[in-house]
Amino acid sequence: MIIKKADIEAVAVKPSQYPKGGLKEIAFAGRSNVGKSSLLNTLTGRRNLARVSGSPGKTRTINFYRINDAFRIVDLPGYGYAKVSKSVSDSWGEMMETYLEGREELVSVIQLVDIRHEPSKQDVAMYGYLRHYGLNGPVVATKADKISRNQTARQLKTIRQTLGLGQDDVVIPVSSLKKTGYEELLDAMESILEG
């Protein structure tokens, strides 16, 4: 798949603000500061499509991007940022749950984890939640340029074990800096959309 066109279509906090029309949607979820905005910008070839922020926890809305006029990428708010108040964090949780459980167009969620660290309790909980609803897509291990090749194999094994992934579950290491892993991710997204 080649992404030739990517435009922001809607910024939403409740279902009445979601875009209309039956385009399939692939959502991206991950902890704050996992590199989601950088990944989406590299994936779409648009430098400023998703705002990259110096302070994690900035995305507080669900952002819908229309891709090639054929499907949508949905950017979910980052979770797990400690400096956000509990009430704000609870309202994000509710907003995400409403979207994940009620959106008919949603076909899969790609979860991002930082390759340098063992997945957190929140990562594990999110993956379990996605699997429960049959939304678990490939797991993307971001920031792959930050560790050596030897460490990469070890960290991918840790990610698989911590999230309880099966043999058929896919983990894709990517680097926004070196632009590696993107072809594989785009191929995985194409299979999801065709499935």
Side-chain angles (χ1 to χ4, degrees):
M1 177 195 326
I2 296 168
I3 293 180
K4 293 181 176 169
K5 192 175 176 210
D7 299 295
I8 186 139
E9 188 174 1
V11 174
V13 291
K14 55 186 183 207
S16 60
Q17 299 167 325
Y18 299 167
K20 304 282 183 278
L23 293 182
K24 287 182 178 177
E25 294 173 357
I26 296 176
F28 283 73
R31 284 174 60 85
S32 302
N33 214 15
V34 76
K36 191 155 40 73
S37 298
S38 299
L39 177 122
L40 293 177
N41 290 337
T42 305
L43 206 56
T44 57
R46 294 274 307 272
R47 209 178 322 173
N48 297 313
L49 185 71
R51 286 220 184 100
V52 178
S53 166
S55 53
K58 268 282 196 255
T59 307
R60 297 180 183 196
T61 53
I62 298 174
N63 300 331
F64 293 82
Y65 302 104
R66 191 180 182 97
I67 309 297
N68 295 345
D69 290 324
F71 72 100
R72 291 188 190 98
I73 284 176
V74 181
D75 182 5
L76 298 173
Y79 54 84
Y81 188 55
K83 287 192 177 160
V84 172
S85 75
K86 186 166 172 12
S87 64
V88 168
S89 153
D90 287 350
S91 71
W92 286 352
E94 205 172 297
M95 177 174 56
M96 277 173 57
E97 229 168 271
T98 301
Y99 171 74
L100 292 170
E101 291 175 24
R103 183 70 167 165
E104 277 180 34
E105 288 84 349
L106 178 63
V107 290
S108 186
V109 178
I110 294 173
Q111 185 171 357
L112 277 57
V113 295
D114 187 327
I115 199 166
R116 299 170 300 175
H117 310 292
E118 183 178 325
S120 69
K121 284 181 182 165
Q122 284 157 320
D123 289 325
V124 173
M126 175 58 92
Y127 193 77
Y129 176 89
L130 295 174
R131 188 167 18 206
H132 176 77
Y133 285 99
L135 292 170
N136 53 314
V139 172
V140 169
T142 61
K143 308 186 183 188
D145 55 282
K146 308 268 191 215
I147 61 174
S148 72
R149 247 197 209 139
N150 286 345
Q151 286 174 299
T152 299
R154 212 169 36 241
Q155 286 304 106
L156 291 177
K157 188 178 176 191
T158 300
I159 290 167
R160 286 184 157 286
Q161 288 173 337
T162 309
L163 294 179
L165 301 184
Q167 261 181 312
D168 296 337
D169 293 317
V170 178
V171 182
I172 305 169
V174 300
S175 163
S176 296
L177 198 66
K178 293 188 176 171
K179 299 194 175 17
T180 55
Y182 284 90
E183 313 268 314
E184 199 183 334
L185 178 53
L186 286 165
D187 289 348
M189 289 168 66
E190 193 167 18
S191 317
I192 289 166
L193 291 166
E194 287 169 356

PDB file of all heavy atoms in Angstrom, residues 22-61:
ATOM      1  N   GLY A  22     -19.211   5.054   5.742  1.00  0.00           N
ATOM      2  CA  GLY A  22     -18.746   3.738   6.193  1.00  0.00           C
ATOM      3  C   GLY A  22     -17.328   3.352   5.849  1.00  0.00           C
ATOM      4  O   GLY A  22     -17.081   2.199   5.552  1.00  0.00           O
ATOM      5  N   LEU A  23     -16.370   4.268   5.873  1.00  0.00           N
ATOM      6  CA  LEU A  23     -14.983   3.875   5.610  1.00  0.00           C
ATOM      7  C   LEU A  23     -14.436   3.058   6.774  1.00  0.00           C
ATOM      8  O   LEU A  23     -14.674   3.384   7.936  1.00  0.00           O
ATOM      9  CB  LEU A  23     -14.082   5.107   5.417  1.00  0.00           C
ATOM     10  CG  LEU A  23     -14.309   5.982   4.182  1.00  0.00           C
ATOM     11  CD1 LEU A  23     -13.289   7.118   4.159  1.00  0.00           C
ATOM     12  CD2 LEU A  23     -14.204   5.171   2.910  1.00  0.00           C
ATOM     13  N   LYS A  24     -13.687   2.001   6.456  1.00  0.00           N
ATOM     14  CA  LYS A  24     -13.060   1.204   7.512  1.00  0.00           C
ATOM     15  C   LYS A  24     -12.028   2.048   8.253  1.00  0.00           C
ATOM     16  O   LYS A  24     -11.391   2.914   7.657  1.00  0.00           O
ATOM     17  CB  LYS A  24     -12.364  -0.017   6.906  1.00  0.00           C
ATOM     18  CG  LYS A  24     -13.329  -1.085   6.424  1.00  0.00           C
ATOM     19  CD  LYS A  24     -12.558  -2.288   5.885  1.00  0.00           C
ATOM     20  CE  LYS A  24     -13.533  -3.377   5.437  1.00  0.00           C
ATOM     21  NZ  LYS A  24     -12.808  -4.521   4.855  1.00  0.00           N
ATOM     22  N   GLU A  25     -11.863   1.742   9.548  1.00  0.00           N
ATOM     23  CA  GLU A  25     -10.922   2.503  10.379  1.00  0.00           C
ATOM     24  C   GLU A  25      -9.932   1.575  11.077  1.00  0.00           C
ATOM     25  O   GLU A  25     -10.311   0.524  11.596  1.00  0.00           O
ATOM     26  CB  GLU A  25     -11.692   3.313  11.427  1.00  0.00           C
ATOM     27  CG  GLU A  25     -12.541   4.402  10.801  1.00  0.00           C
ATOM     28  CD  GLU A  25     -13.466   5.135  11.761  1.00  0.00           C
ATOM     29  OE1 GLU A  25     -13.523   4.778  12.960  1.00  0.00           O
ATOM     30  OE2 GLU A  25     -14.159   6.065  11.301  1.00  0.00           O
ATOM     31  N   ILE A  26      -8.674   1.993  11.059  1.00  0.00           N
ATOM     32  CA  ILE A  26      -7.625   1.324  11.839  1.00  0.00           C
ATOM     33  C   ILE A  26      -7.138   2.352  12.850  1.00  0.00           C
ATOM     34  O   ILE A  26      -6.697   3.437  12.473  1.00  0.00           O
ATOM     35  CB  ILE A  26      -6.449   0.875  10.946  1.00  0.00           C
ATOM     36  CG1 ILE A  26      -6.913  -0.174   9.928  1.00  0.00           C
ATOM     37  CG2 ILE A  26      -5.313   0.318  11.805  1.00  0.00           C
ATOM     38  CD1 ILE A  26      -5.836  -0.599   8.936  1.00  0.00           C
ATOM     39  N   ALA A  27      -7.263   2.005  14.119  1.00  0.00           N
ATOM     40  CA  ALA A  27      -6.857   2.948  15.169  1.00  0.00           C
ATOM     41  C   ALA A  27      -5.456   2.617  15.669  1.00  0.00           C
ATOM     42  O   ALA A  27      -5.004   1.470  15.580  1.00  0.00           O
ATOM     43  CB  ALA A  27      -7.859   2.901  16.328  1.00  0.00           C
ATOM     44  N   PHE A  28      -4.778   3.635  16.182  1.00  0.00           N
ATOM     45  CA  PHE A  28      -3.446   3.481  16.770  1.00  0.00           C
ATOM     46  C   PHE A  28      -3.526   3.885  18.233  1.00  0.00           C
ATOM     47  O   PHE A  28      -4.013   4.972  18.546  1.00  0.00           O
ATOM     48  CB  PHE A  28      -2.439   4.369  16.035  1.00  0.00           C
ATOM     49  CG  PHE A  28      -2.016   3.801  14.701  1.00  0.00           C
ATOM     50  CD1 PHE A  28      -2.878   3.819  13.616  1.00  0.00           C
ATOM     51  CD2 PHE A  28      -0.752   3.232  14.537  1.00  0.00           C
ATOM     52  CE1 PHE A  28      -2.503   3.284  12.389  1.00  0.00           C
ATOM     53  CE2 PHE A  28      -0.363   2.700  13.320  1.00  0.00           C
ATOM     54  CZ  PHE A  28      -1.237   2.725  12.238  1.00  0.00           C
ATOM     55  N   ALA A  29      -3.056   2.994  19.104  1.00  0.00           N
ATOM     56  CA  ALA A  29      -3.096   3.253  20.544  1.00  0.00           C
ATOM     57  C   ALA A  29      -1.710   3.026  21.142  1.00  0.00           C
ATOM     58  O   ALA A  29      -0.960   2.172  20.670  1.00  0.00           O
ATOM     59  CB  ALA A  29      -4.096   2.309  21.216  1.00  0.00           C
ATOM     60  N   GLY A  30      -1.401   3.781  22.178  1.00  0.00           N
ATOM     61  CA  GLY A  30      -0.117   3.577  22.850  1.00  0.00           C
ATOM     62  C   GLY A  30       0.035   4.554  23.998  1.00  0.00           C
ATOM     63  O   GLY A  30      -0.709   5.524  24.104  1.00  0.00           O
ATOM     64  N   ARG A  31       1.009   4.279  24.836  1.00  0.00           N
ATOM     65  CA  ARG A  31       1.296   5.181  25.949  1.00  0.00           C
ATOM     66  C   ARG A  31       1.708   6.543  25.420  1.00  0.00           C
ATOM     67  O   ARG A  31       2.230   6.661  24.313  1.00  0.00           O
ATOM     68  CB  ARG A  31       2.449   4.627  26.791  1.00  0.00           C
ATOM     69  CG  ARG A  31       2.049   3.479  27.695  1.00  0.00           C
ATOM     70  CD  ARG A  31       3.261   2.883  28.373  1.00  0.00           C
ATOM     71  NE  ARG A  31       3.966   3.851  29.189  1.00  0.00           N
ATOM     72  CZ  ARG A  31       3.655   4.138  30.452  1.00  0.00           C
ATOM     73  NH1 ARG A  31       2.652   3.533  31.037  1.00  0.00           N
ATOM     74  NH2 ARG A  31       4.347   5.025  31.133  1.00  0.00           N
ATOM     75  N   SER A  32       1.514   7.550  26.247  1.00  0.00           N
ATOM     76  CA  SER A  32       2.023   8.875  25.911  1.00  0.00           C
ATOM     77  C   SER A  32       3.519   8.754  25.708  1.00  0.00           C
ATOM     78  O   SER A  32       4.178   7.991  26.418  1.00  0.00           O
ATOM     79  CB  SER A  32       1.759   9.836  27.072  1.00  0.00           C
ATOM     80  OG  SER A  32       0.383   9.881  27.341  1.00  0.00           O
ATOM     81  N   ASN A  33       4.054   9.465  24.767  1.00  0.00           N
ATOM     82  CA  ASN A  33       5.501   9.508  24.540  1.00  0.00           C
ATOM     83  C   ASN A  33       6.066   8.259  23.873  1.00  0.00           C
ATOM     84  O   ASN A  33       7.259   8.027  23.912  1.00  0.00           O
ATOM     85  CB  ASN A  33       6.233   9.752  25.872  1.00  0.00           C
ATOM     86  CG  ASN A  33       7.469  10.594  25.668  1.00  0.00           C
ATOM     87  OD1 ASN A  33       7.627  11.205  24.627  1.00  0.00           O
ATOM     88  ND2 ASN A  33       8.341  10.608  26.642  1.00  0.00           N
ATOM     89  N   VAL A  34       5.190   7.428  23.254  1.00  0.00           N
ATOM     90  CA  VAL A  34       5.668   6.203  22.602  1.00  0.00           C
ATOM     91  C   VAL A  34       6.121   6.488  21.166  1.00  0.00           C
ATOM     92  O   VAL A  34       6.736   5.656  20.519  1.00  0.00           O
ATOM     93  CB  VAL A  34       4.579   5.090  22.646  1.00  0.00           C
ATOM     94  CG1 VAL A  34       3.474   5.356  21.625  1.00  0.00           C
ATOM     95  CG2 VAL A  34       5.177   3.712  22.456  1.00  0.00           C
ATOM     96  N   GLY A  35       5.812   7.701  20.677  1.00  0.00           N
ATOM     97  CA  GLY A  35       6.217   8.063  19.322  1.00  0.00           C
ATOM     98  C   GLY A  35       5.115   7.879  18.288  1.00  0.00           C
ATOM     99  O   GLY A  35       5.363   7.699  17.111  1.00  0.00           O
ATOM    100  N   LYS A  36       3.858   7.970  18.765  1.00  0.00           N
ATOM    101  CA  LYS A  36       2.713   7.731  17.877  1.00  0.00           C
ATOM    102  C   LYS A  36       2.606   8.799  16.783  1.00  0.00           C
ATOM    103  O   LYS A  36       2.427   8.479  15.610  1.00  0.00           O
ATOM    104  CB  LYS A  36       1.429   7.659  18.715  1.00  0.00           C
ATOM    105  CG  LYS A  36       0.222   7.164  17.973  1.00  0.00           C
ATOM    106  CD  LYS A  36      -0.829   6.540  18.875  1.00  0.00           C
ATOM    107  CE  LYS A  36      -1.085   7.227  20.189  1.00  0.00           C
ATOM    108  NZ  LYS A  36      -1.813   8.482  20.114  1.00  0.00           N
ATOM    109  N   SER A  37       2.748  10.070  17.158  1.00  0.00           N
ATOM    110  CA  SER A  37       2.627  11.153  16.167  1.00  0.00           C
ATOM    111  C   SER A  37       3.724  11.049  15.110  1.00  0.00           C
ATOM    112  O   SER A  37       3.459  11.183  13.917  1.00  0.00           O
ATOM    113  CB  SER A  37       2.679  12.516  16.847  1.00  0.00           C
ATOM    114  OG  SER A  37       1.590  12.633  17.741  1.00  0.00           O
ATOM    115  N   SER A  38       4.946  10.778  15.542  1.00  0.00           N
ATOM    116  CA  SER A  38       6.054  10.630  14.593  1.00  0.00           C
ATOM    117  C   SER A  38       5.785   9.470  13.637  1.00  0.00           C
ATOM    118  O   SER A  38       6.021   9.565  12.431  1.00  0.00           O
ATOM    119  CB  SER A  38       7.377  10.367  15.325  1.00  0.00           C
ATOM    120  OG  SER A  38       7.680  11.448  16.170  1.00  0.00           O
ATOM    121  N   LEU A  39       5.274   8.370  14.187  1.00  0.00           N
ATOM    122  CA  LEU A  39       4.968   7.201  13.364  1.00  0.00           C
ATOM    123  C   LEU A  39       3.899   7.545  12.323  1.00  0.00           C
ATOM    124  O   LEU A  39       4.052   7.234  11.138  1.00  0.00           O
ATOM    125  CB  LEU A  39       4.499   6.035  14.235  1.00  0.00           C
ATOM    126  CG  LEU A  39       4.100   4.793  13.437  1.00  0.00           C
ATOM    127  CD1 LEU A  39       4.914   3.584  13.857  1.00  0.00           C
ATOM    128  CD2 LEU A  39       2.637   4.464  13.600  1.00  0.00           C
ATOM    129  N   LEU A  40       2.826   8.207  12.756  1.00  0.00           N
ATOM    130  CA  LEU A  40       1.740   8.535  11.824  1.00  0.00           C
ATOM    131  C   LEU A  40       2.225   9.504  10.742  1.00  0.00           C
ATOM    132  O   LEU A  40       1.848   9.374   9.579  1.00  0.00           O
ATOM    133  CB  LEU A  40       0.536   9.115  12.578  1.00  0.00           C
ATOM    134  CG  LEU A  40      -0.182   8.126  13.505  1.00  0.00           C
ATOM    135  CD1 LEU A  40      -1.314   8.808  14.265  1.00  0.00           C
ATOM    136  CD2 LEU A  40      -0.700   6.919  12.753  1.00  0.00           C
ATOM    137  N   ASN A  41       3.071  10.454  11.117  1.00  0.00           N
ATOM    138  CA  ASN A  41       3.612  11.395  10.130  1.00  0.00           C
ATOM    139  C   ASN A  41       4.485  10.680   9.105  1.00  0.00           C
ATOM    140  O   ASN A  41       4.390  10.937   7.906  1.00  0.00           O
ATOM    141  CB  ASN A  41       4.397  12.516  10.823  1.00  0.00           C
ATOM    142  CG  ASN A  41       3.481  13.457  11.581  1.00  0.00           C
ATOM    143  OD1 ASN A  41       2.296  13.570  11.284  1.00  0.00           O
ATOM    144  ND2 ASN A  41       4.012  14.136  12.574  1.00  0.00           N
ATOM    145  N   THR A  42       5.330   9.767   9.564  1.00  0.00           N
ATOM    146  CA  THR A  42       6.204   9.032   8.649  1.00  0.00           C
ATOM    147  C   THR A  42       5.373   8.108   7.758  1.00  0.00           C
ATOM    148  O   THR A  42       5.607   8.016   6.554  1.00  0.00           O
ATOM    149  CB  THR A  42       7.261   8.217   9.437  1.00  0.00           C
ATOM    150  OG1 THR A  42       7.966   9.108  10.304  1.00  0.00           O
ATOM    151  CG2 THR A  42       8.247   7.543   8.517  1.00  0.00           C
ATOM    152  N   LEU A  43       4.399   7.447   8.350  1.00  0.00           N
ATOM    153  CA  LEU A  43       3.536   6.516   7.621  1.00  0.00           C
ATOM    154  C   LEU A  43       2.796   7.209   6.476  1.00  0.00           C
ATOM    155  O   LEU A  43       2.668   6.663   5.383  1.00  0.00           O
ATOM    156  CB  LEU A  43       2.519   5.939   8.613  1.00  0.00           C
ATOM    157  CG  LEU A  43       1.902   4.582   8.354  1.00  0.00           C
ATOM    158  CD1 LEU A  43       2.960   3.518   8.196  1.00  0.00           C
ATOM    159  CD2 LEU A  43       0.980   4.213   9.513  1.00  0.00           C
ATOM    160  N   THR A  44       2.337   8.418   6.747  1.00  0.00           N
ATOM    161  CA  THR A  44       1.535   9.141   5.757  1.00  0.00           C
ATOM    162  C   THR A  44       2.382  10.058   4.871  1.00  0.00           C
ATOM    163  O   THR A  44       1.861  10.650   3.928  1.00  0.00           O
ATOM    164  CB  THR A  44       0.458  10.009   6.452  1.00  0.00           C
ATOM    165  OG1 THR A  44       1.106  10.911   7.364  1.00  0.00           O
ATOM    166  CG2 THR A  44      -0.545   9.155   7.208  1.00  0.00           C
ATOM    167  N   GLY A  45       3.667  10.180   5.199  1.00  0.00           N
ATOM    168  CA  GLY A  45       4.526  11.069   4.410  1.00  0.00           C
ATOM    169  C   GLY A  45       4.193  12.539   4.612  1.00  0.00           C
ATOM    170  O   GLY A  45       4.531  13.393   3.790  1.00  0.00           O
ATOM    171  N   ARG A  46       3.515  12.863   5.702  1.00  0.00           N
ATOM    172  CA  ARG A  46       3.138  14.251   6.009  1.00  0.00           C
ATOM    173  C   ARG A  46       3.827  14.673   7.290  1.00  0.00           C
ATOM    174  O   ARG A  46       3.594  14.088   8.336  1.00  0.00           O
ATOM    175  CB  ARG A  46       1.614  14.343   6.215  1.00  0.00           C
ATOM    176  CG  ARG A  46       0.751  14.066   5.009  1.00  0.00           C
ATOM    177  CD  ARG A  46       0.535  15.293   4.132  1.00  0.00           C
ATOM    178  NE  ARG A  46       0.036  16.438   4.874  1.00  0.00           N
ATOM    179  CZ  ARG A  46      -1.249  16.685   5.097  1.00  0.00           C
ATOM    180  NH1 ARG A  46      -2.176  15.874   4.651  1.00  0.00           N
ATOM    181  NH2 ARG A  46      -1.603  17.762   5.763  1.00  0.00           N
ATOM    182  N   ARG A  47       4.679  15.667   7.204  1.00  0.00           N
ATOM    183  CA  ARG A  47       5.506  16.020   8.358  1.00  0.00           C
ATOM    184  C   ARG A  47       4.696  16.506   9.566  1.00  0.00           C
ATOM    185  O   ARG A  47       5.054  16.254  10.703  1.00  0.00           O
ATOM    186  CB  ARG A  47       6.519  17.084   7.972  1.00  0.00           C
ATOM    187  CG  ARG A  47       7.756  16.958   8.839  1.00  0.00           C
ATOM    188  CD  ARG A  47       8.843  17.907   8.545  1.00  0.00           C
ATOM    189  NE  ARG A  47       8.995  18.157   7.136  1.00  0.00           N
ATOM    190  CZ  ARG A  47       9.808  19.056   6.647  1.00  0.00           C
ATOM    191  NH1 ARG A  47      10.524  19.789   7.461  1.00  0.00           N
ATOM    192  NH2 ARG A  47       9.913  19.254   5.351  1.00  0.00           N
ATOM    193  N   ASN A  48       3.605  17.225   9.319  1.00  0.00           N
ATOM    194  CA  ASN A  48       2.861  17.802  10.439  1.00  0.00           C
ATOM    195  C   ASN A  48       1.403  17.361  10.504  1.00  0.00           C
ATOM    196  O   ASN A  48       0.558  18.088  10.991  1.00  0.00           O
ATOM    197  CB  ASN A  48       2.924  19.332  10.379  1.00  0.00           C
ATOM    198  CG  ASN A  48       4.349  19.819  10.535  1.00  0.00           C
ATOM    199  OD1 ASN A  48       5.057  19.362  11.419  1.00  0.00           O
ATOM    200  ND2 ASN A  48       4.768  20.715   9.657  1.00  0.00           N
ATOM    201  N   LEU A  49       1.106  16.170   9.979  1.00  0.00           N
ATOM    202  CA  LEU A  49      -0.287  15.710  10.022  1.00  0.00           C
ATOM    203  C   LEU A  49      -0.720  15.517  11.480  1.00  0.00           C
ATOM    204  O   LEU A  49      -1.705  16.078  11.929  1.00  0.00           O
ATOM    205  CB  LEU A  49      -0.441  14.397   9.243  1.00  0.00           C
ATOM    206  CG  LEU A  49      -1.877  13.890   9.113  1.00  0.00           C
ATOM    207  CD1 LEU A  49      -2.676  14.777   8.165  1.00  0.00           C
ATOM    208  CD2 LEU A  49      -1.906  12.456   8.616  1.00  0.00           C
ATOM    209  N   ALA A  50       0.056  14.720  12.211  1.00  0.00           N
ATOM    210  CA  ALA A  50      -0.214  14.532  13.646  1.00  0.00           C
ATOM    211  C   ALA A  50       0.779  15.412  14.391  1.00  0.00           C
ATOM    212  O   ALA A  50       1.959  15.412  14.075  1.00  0.00           O
ATOM    213  CB  ALA A  50      -0.026  13.062  14.029  1.00  0.00           C
ATOM    214  N   ARG A  51       0.304  16.155  15.352  1.00  0.00           N
ATOM    215  CA  ARG A  51       1.196  17.071  16.081  1.00  0.00           C
ATOM    216  C   ARG A  51       2.131  16.314  17.007  1.00  0.00           C
ATOM    217  O   ARG A  51       1.683  15.548  17.851  1.00  0.00           O
ATOM    218  CB  ARG A  51       0.368  18.054  16.912  1.00  0.00           C
ATOM    219  CG  ARG A  51      -0.279  19.088  16.046  1.00  0.00           C
ATOM    220  CD  ARG A  51      -0.233  20.457  16.718  1.00  0.00           C
ATOM    221  NE  ARG A  51      -0.945  21.404  15.893  1.00  0.00           N
ATOM    222  CZ  ARG A  51      -2.190  21.796  16.137  1.00  0.00           C
ATOM    223  NH1 ARG A  51      -2.817  21.335  17.186  1.00  0.00           N
ATOM    224  NH2 ARG A  51      -2.765  22.654  15.343  1.00  0.00           N
ATOM    225  N   VAL A  52       3.418  16.536  16.820  1.00  0.00           N
ATOM    226  CA  VAL A  52       4.413  15.944  17.709  1.00  0.00           C
ATOM    227  C   VAL A  52       4.621  16.939  18.840  1.00  0.00           C
ATOM    228  O   VAL A  52       4.897  18.106  18.604  1.00  0.00           O
ATOM    229  CB  VAL A  52       5.747  15.706  16.956  1.00  0.00           C
ATOM    230  CG1 VAL A  52       6.789  15.132  17.902  1.00  0.00           C
ATOM    231  CG2 VAL A  52       5.526  14.777  15.772  1.00  0.00           C
ATOM    232  N   SER A  53       4.468  16.453  20.063  1.00  0.00           N
ATOM    233  CA  SER A  53       4.548  17.362  21.203  1.00  0.00           C
ATOM    234  C   SER A  53       5.738  17.028  22.085  1.00  0.00           C
ATOM    235  O   SER A  53       6.078  15.867  22.271  1.00  0.00           O
ATOM    236  CB  SER A  53       3.257  17.234  22.021  1.00  0.00           C
ATOM    237  OG  SER A  53       3.434  17.840  23.266  1.00  0.00           O
ATOM    238  N   GLY A  54       6.333  18.084  22.642  1.00  0.00           N
ATOM    239  CA  GLY A  54       7.430  17.893  23.594  1.00  0.00           C
ATOM    240  C   GLY A  54       6.925  17.398  24.925  1.00  0.00           C
ATOM    241  O   GLY A  54       7.644  16.764  25.689  1.00  0.00           O
ATOM    242  N   SER A  55       5.657  17.688  25.224  1.00  0.00           N
ATOM    243  CA  SER A  55       5.122  17.214  26.505  1.00  0.00           C
ATOM    244  C   SER A  55       4.106  16.112  26.260  1.00  0.00           C
ATOM    245  O   SER A  55       3.096  16.320  25.593  1.00  0.00           O
ATOM    246  CB  SER A  55       4.485  18.365  27.284  1.00  0.00           C
ATOM    247  OG  SER A  55       3.546  19.020  26.478  1.00  0.00           O
ATOM    248  N   PRO A  56       4.379  14.903  26.788  1.00  0.00           N
ATOM    249  CA  PRO A  56       3.482  13.770  26.576  1.00  0.00           C
ATOM    250  C   PRO A  56       2.097  14.020  27.162  1.00  0.00           C
ATOM    251  O   PRO A  56       1.933  14.821  28.065  1.00  0.00           O
ATOM    252  CB  PRO A  56       4.174  12.613  27.299  1.00  0.00           C
ATOM    253  CG  PRO A  56       5.363  13.170  27.968  1.00  0.00           C
ATOM    254  CD  PRO A  56       5.536  14.593  27.593  1.00  0.00           C
ATOM    255  N   GLY A  57       1.117  13.299  26.627  1.00  0.00           N
ATOM    256  CA  GLY A  57      -0.249  13.411  27.148  1.00  0.00           C
ATOM    257  C   GLY A  57      -1.008  14.577  26.538  1.00  0.00           C
ATOM    258  O   GLY A  57      -2.047  14.984  27.022  1.00  0.00           O
ATOM    259  N   LYS A  58      -0.492  15.144  25.447  1.00  0.00           N
ATOM    260  CA  LYS A  58      -1.114  16.314  24.825  1.00  0.00           C
ATOM    261  C   LYS A  58      -2.372  15.961  24.016  1.00  0.00           C
ATOM    262  O   LYS A  58      -3.315  16.730  23.978  1.00  0.00           O
ATOM    263  CB  LYS A  58      -0.118  17.007  23.885  1.00  0.00           C
ATOM    264  CG  LYS A  58       0.681  18.118  24.563  1.00  0.00           C
ATOM    265  CD  LYS A  58      -0.144  19.372  24.701  1.00  0.00           C
ATOM    266  CE  LYS A  58       0.665  20.586  25.001  1.00  0.00           C
ATOM    267  NZ  LYS A  58       0.612  21.077  26.344  1.00  0.00           N
ATOM    268  N   THR A  59      -2.352  14.808  23.337  1.00  0.00           N
ATOM    269  CA  THR A  59      -3.525  14.444  22.522  1.00  0.00           C
ATOM    270  C   THR A  59      -4.662  14.069  23.456  1.00  0.00           C
ATOM    271  O   THR A  59      -4.584  13.067  24.160  1.00  0.00           O
ATOM    272  CB  THR A  59      -3.194  13.250  21.584  1.00  0.00           C
ATOM    273  OG1 THR A  59      -2.032  13.574  20.843  1.00  0.00           O
ATOM    274  CG2 THR A  59      -4.335  12.959  20.624  1.00  0.00           C
ATOM    275  N   ARG A  60      -5.693  14.898  23.472  1.00  0.00           N
ATOM    276  CA  ARG A  60      -6.815  14.625  24.379  1.00  0.00           C
ATOM    277  C   ARG A  60      -8.102  14.423  23.597  1.00  0.00           C
ATOM    278  O   ARG A  60      -9.195  14.519  24.147  1.00  0.00           O
ATOM    279  CB  ARG A  60      -6.981  15.787  25.365  1.00  0.00           C
ATOM    280  CG  ARG A  60      -5.752  15.910  26.231  1.00  0.00           C
ATOM    281  CD  ARG A  60      -5.840  17.012  27.213  1.00  0.00           C
ATOM    282  NE  ARG A  60      -4.580  17.095  27.946  1.00  0.00           N
ATOM    283  CZ  ARG A  60      -4.425  17.739  29.062  1.00  0.00           C
ATOM    284  NH1 ARG A  60      -5.423  18.378  29.604  1.00  0.00           N
ATOM    285  NH2 ARG A  60      -3.259  17.767  29.655  1.00  0.00           N
ATOM    286  N   THR A  61      -7.930  14.194  22.315  1.00  0.00           N
ATOM    287  CA  THR A  61      -9.085  13.983  21.438  1.00  0.00           C
ATOM    288  C   THR A  61      -8.812  12.741  20.595  1.00  0.00           C
ATOM    289  O   THR A  61      -7.694  12.253  20.547  1.00  0.00           O
ATOM    290  CB  THR A  61      -9.261  15.192  20.493  1.00  0.00           C
ATOM    291  OG1 THR A  61      -8.016  15.437  19.824  1.00  0.00           O
ATOM    292  CG2 THR A  61      -9.687  16.437  21.249  1.00  0.00           C
TER     293      THR A  61
END
